[in-house]
Amino acid sequence: MKRNDFAARVFIPVLSILVSFLIGAVIIAAMGANPLEALQYLWKGAFGNVRNLGTTFARATPLIFTTLCACFAYRCGVFNLGGEGQFIIGAILACFIATKLPVTGVPAILLCAVAGAVGGGLWAMIAGLLKVYRGQNEMIITIMLNYIATLLMGVVYTNWLRDGNIPQTAAVPDEVKLPSFLGMRATIAFPIALIVGLLIFYYLFSTSSGFRLRAVGLNATAAKVNGFNIKHYVLMSFAVSGAIAGLGGALELLGTQFRLINGFAAGYGFDGVAMALIASLHPLTGILVAVFFAALRVGSTMMQTATGVPTSVSDIIQALVIVFTVAGLAMVRLPAFRNLFTRRARKEA
Amino acid sequence: MKRKMFALMIACVLTMTVAFAVTGYADGRTVAMICDSSISDGGWGMACYNAMIDAAAKCGWQTMYSDSIAQSAYYDTIVSYCDLGVNMIYAPGNQYTDAILQAAAEYPEIAFALLNGGEDTPAKAVNGNVSSLLPDAKQIGWIAGALAGLMTKTGTIAFIGGMELDTTKGKYAGYGEAADFVAKENGKSVKLLDPVYSGDFSASDKGLEFAKAMMDQGADVFFGDASAVDSGARQAIDAANEAAGEIKIYDIAQPADLLGQNACIIGSQVTDNSALIELSMKAVEAGTFGGETLYGTLQNGVLSAGKLNADTVPEDVQTAYAGYIQQMTDGTFMGGGAKAE
Amino acid sequence: MDIANLILAAIRISSPLIFLSLAELYSQRAGLVNIGIEGIAAIGSLVGFLVSVTTGSPTLGVLAGALAGILVNMIFAFATITLCAEQIVYGMAINIFAPALAAFIYRVYFGSGSTLVQGDLMATLENMLGIKSDHFLVNLSLDQTPMVYFAYILVIVTGIYFARTRSGLNFKAVGEYPKAAATLGINVNKTRYLACVICGALAGIGGAYLTTCYSRTYVDGNVAGRGFIALAAVIFGRWNAWGVLAACLFFGFCDALQIRLQLVSNAIPYQFFQMIPYAATILVLAVIGVKKAGPKACGQPYRKEER
């Protein structure tokens, strides 16, 4: 049973990816472009040389953070859809610190990272407290908080922290920017993201606290009966997942974007949730999935500039991967589907 | 089962890596344009795209473009074109300055032409491969303002901006002062409403609401700087005119001659970007491109006034307007302080 | 500031919201949280625009938009009802997929030409009657497209349906206690599919409204978050038709106010006004507590085999 489960969780995403690419190739061909050539540019744009690889990693870094955020929360049964808002709050705080406070260098970076994490955690706690003390479904609340955070960022870059005449904040000073990772365009934020992923993996699967958290997520009633403090774990998972996203936001600002502008972090939160699900909530697989999606996005820019195939084709492919994977994973959990396998096993036995 | 699948996946990856090779790019020169609005926006994007096509046709270059790009993707798209080996990147707007400078520093062999770039931008480029193409914002404002001053009946005129760029503010200022001057000469007084900025160049329904709100405040001549947002504004103006039964609220289009696109358009301020782009292309061919600001003015023909709507603009106004344009070109408009900066 | 024009603007802005909110209401009343309204509206607006431009009839455009909405929502329906996939996640997937599809179809159909494509708008009642007036009340009541009247009639119909008809009460039962409803002989899955059809149709109509009755052009991203405001309106309006209407009008008013305020003063950043729908929803949820927070079985998949 366990082997079948694992097989399904690997097989379905891979199958979804293949089917989605197939459909994408059909669309590209229907547009009159050469699918093979387009896919070739997609690949080249993502992995073709060191610079592009660096761009892929750089684009993957924020996605890894939001994916880990969603993973961690879901493991406790918490549907934290507010990754985007928490990410943005972290970035706002980091922007303020980096551009307005008289700190510089490594202390500034550390301060921004900590502030980002704390800000993201607190933002998530709003929904957490409402869930625990008012019984409210956190899904809707976190979505609403996302929009409020985005609009707040709008006030920040059009008004409070605006620099000059274009609606954007001042750029993070050079001394506070993150150093590059191996000379690539990706910064040390990328290995930091990987380390965070490893830490989460270790916590969830090798500590008793993590075990309890997962127990709460799998069956809250049983956990309560066993004496686990549900409220404590739920609130903790909100806070920690929000902190991860907030940290991601701060690092993204200091490492890649340098300014808050319209469209900063657009879609990262929801993408993270989707990727967490595709990865079956496993932190390390989540990292792989995030890199894959980032590659799709980075590659599609080159595909678009070289062959004229619009980037929306790549968006469709990504969306189809999510559509098929989530449906497929749900399907294999259906009782009717499982009966198919047990009946066959009984026949063979 | 596990092992088989991993093997399969690794095989796929290896096959893909081996199968893909690098391709070079075709010969002949190429210019690539990036634009944050759509090239079919009925305004800026459309005009700049057409200007590039015209200039390329005259110089025998090929063209590529990407439109509707998010601000966070400017740099990546530019770099993508650079990697493909284009000869010139054309960016129509001040908002691309950051991305252009960043890319220019990494690709010294490629020319970067920044429309509406700042006068100090070419100096900031370490490789000296950036030039600003700068139509004179004040003169642009004048061309529209003079017509507004002549045509307004309510004495209130309006301006809708996209992003609050320096060039936009320059156009706004020129619009206001020219309208004021012309109105006074014709025995009227004119009030220019505070500008509104839509914050982007594509939200046409914002333009609709802005125009409605400004019409409520009595504005009867509109000018703008905001591409698709202007289209929305024109839609609202047309609707108001239809409800009133006559065309009494007007719009001055830009940056191309859009006469006939909407009933409310009485004239246009025309910027012939293609002349500026052509100059850049010739400079690239001669190897002299970079490090300077190319101005576009009435004097050198890049700026001009478009055709007036014969149905809505009376003969005497047409003549008076032509006279003002001549003054602007001669440098005698508004008492002679009118030189290109 | 002119109050009369402000009210007219509020009505104008809230009309598409009413369609989107009613769509979500029907869906949630059957127990399905559909956050993909935004995506469905995007497809609806594109298809509506396309059909309107090619056939010259905005009405056909609206119908086509409804059809497109139904088709897209059927994907959601199949995945969440039959496959029991996570509803929120699937709604999100639709939100990513549908706008990309819409952008793609637009690019393919209209090509990369640079002419502005403008469609015709649906004629308002004033136009049809041949009246031209500046009077506020006349404008308020007559200067609206038939779609606006349809929206308000729909609100009334929905209110009566859920409160007074047996079919409506059965519908609600599916969202509150599907197992109990099943024991009464109500086909839970069929009701949910029906809800998805209605939801898809209304969301598609709401999207098509944007390009056939409001603006003459289609732009990527023209839905601009209205789908999520609709979600807020359903919650803020406490899951009944009248509350939803009031919420839409309120949110529309705030939006109209915010635009006009930008002209008058820059004192309060306009984004704070745009936050009102979302903040209000959170406030309502914080205050009313879990007991009155919507259909009880909302968001949960229904499995016949479960006890």
Side-chain angles (χ1 to χ4, degrees), chain B residues 9 28 33 56 74 78 82 101 124 173 209 275 318 326:
Chain B
M9 281 197 281
M33 172 172 111
Y74 292 166
I78 295 177
C82 293
L101 285 174
K124 287 190 192 155
E209 294 298 331
Q318 291 186 26
Q326 191 56 46

Side-chain angles (χ1 to χ4, degrees), chain C residues 127-148:
Chain C
N127 292 347
M128 294 200 273
L129 294 177
I131 307 175
K132 292 187 194 324
S133 160
D134 260 343
H135 191 261
F136 167 63
L137 280 176
V138 176
N139 275 344
L140 182 67
S141 48
L142 292 183
D143 190 21
Q144 312 285 4
T145 58
M147 295 307 299
V148 177

Side-chain angles (χ1 to χ4, degrees), chain C:
Chain C
M1 209 185 316
D2 192 350
I3 295 291
N5 283 312
L6 184 62
I7 295 181
L8 284 175
I11 302 277
R12 199 169 48 234
I13 294 179
S14 56
S15 299
L17 283 180
I18 296 178
F19 284 113
L20 298 177
S21 310
L22 286 177
E24 182 69 21
L25 181 68
Y26 277 99
S27 188
Q28 288 210 14
R29 273 292 179 188
L32 296 167
V33 179
N34 189 344
I35 65 171
I37 300 281
E38 177 95 358
I40 302 176
I43 283 272
S45 82
L46 171 80
V47 170
F49 181 70
L50 211 74
V51 171
S52 170
V53 164
T54 41
T55 63
S57 163
T59 318
L60 275 181
V62 171
L63 289 173
L67 200 61
I70 295 177
L71 286 174
V72 173
N73 210 23
M74 280 302 103
I75 305 174
F76 174 82
F78 181 70
T80 53
I81 301 175
T82 307
L83 298 181
C84 297
E86 190 62 56
Q87 291 167 18
I88 295 260
V89 175
Y90 226 81
M92 229 169 56
I94 300 283
N95 269 345
I96 301 178
F97 172 65
L101 188 64
F104 172 71
I105 296 177
Y106 181 83
R107 187 66 80 89
V108 164
Y109 190 85
F110 289 106
S112 334
S114 64
T115 40
L116 177 70
V117 185
Q118 299 191 72
D120 281 327
L121 293 183
M122 210 182 270
T124 66
L125 204 56
E126 242 184 38
N127 292 347
M128 294 200 273
L129 294 177
I131 307 175
K132 292 187 194 324
S133 160
D134 260 343
H135 191 261
F136 167 63
L137 280 176
V138 176
N139 275 344
L140 182 67
S141 48
L142 292 183
D143 190 21
Q144 312 285 4
T145 58
M147 295 307 299
V148 177
Y149 305 119
F150 179 51
Y152 285 87
I153 294 175
L154 208 58
V155 170
I156 300 174
V157 166
T158 307
I160 299 176
Y161 176 70
F162 281 129
R164 307 225 177 241
T165 65
R166 166 167 296 172
S167 164
L169 289 171
N170 287 347
F171 194 104
K172 284 201 289 185
V174 167
E176 303 273 357
Y177 299 107
K179 293 193 185 52
T183 62
L184 285 173
I186 304 171
N187 187 334
V188 172
N189 282 345
K190 190 161 131 198
T191 310
R192 284 188 162 188
Y193 267 104
L194 182 66
C196 280
V197 168
I198 300 178
C199 174
L202 287 177
I205 292 178
Y209 180 92
L210 291 175
T211 47
T212 56
C213 304
Y214 190 64
S215 164
R216 294 177 67 188
T217 56
Y218 170 83
V219 180
D220 284 339
N222 58 351
V223 183
R226 286 183 177 87
F228 290 101
I229 301 206
L231 194 60
V234 168
I235 300 174
F236 190 64
R238 306 284 289 284
W239 289 273
N240 70 69
W242 310 109
V244 162
L245 176 65
C248 289
L249 286 172
F250 175 55
F251 294 157
F253 178 78
C254 289
D255 205 15
L257 188 66
Q258 162 267 112
I259 288 183
R260 272 161 175 71
L261 274 181
Q262 277 185 66
L263 294 173
V264 170
S265 86
N266 276 319
I268 309 176
Y270 62 92
Q271 289 94 345
F272 283 116
F273 284 93
Q274 289 178 308
M275 279 186 211
I276 289 179
Y278 310 110
T281 306
I282 297 182
L283 217 59
V284 161
L285 283 176
V287 164
I288 64 174
V290 68
K291 290 212 170 57
K292 301 186 209 145
K296 301 234 174 0
C298 202
Q300 282 143 27
Y302 174 68
R303 292 196 182 86
K304 282 208 198 99
E305 299 83 3
E306 276 179 6
R307 293 182 71 252

Side-chain angles (χ1 to χ4, degrees), chain B residues 73-139:
Chain B
Y74 292 166
Y75 171 72
D76 286 325
T77 315
I78 295 177
V79 160
S80 215
Y81 279 123
C82 293
D83 280 343
L84 285 175
V86 301
N87 302 92
M88 179 158 96
I89 301 279
Y90 167 53
N94 194 316
Q95 63 270 37
Y96 308 103
T97 309
D98 264 359
I100 288 281
L101 285 174
Q102 204 179 343
E106 299 171 21
Y107 292 91
E109 299 304 314
I110 302 184
F112 293 84
L114 186 61
L115 184 63
N116 276 345
E119 292 174 311
D120 52 350
T121 311
K124 287 190 192 155
V126 294
N127 293 319
N129 54 349
V130 174
S131 276
S132 288
L133 309 178
L134 199 49
D136 189 324
K138 189 203 286 207
Q139 289 194 356

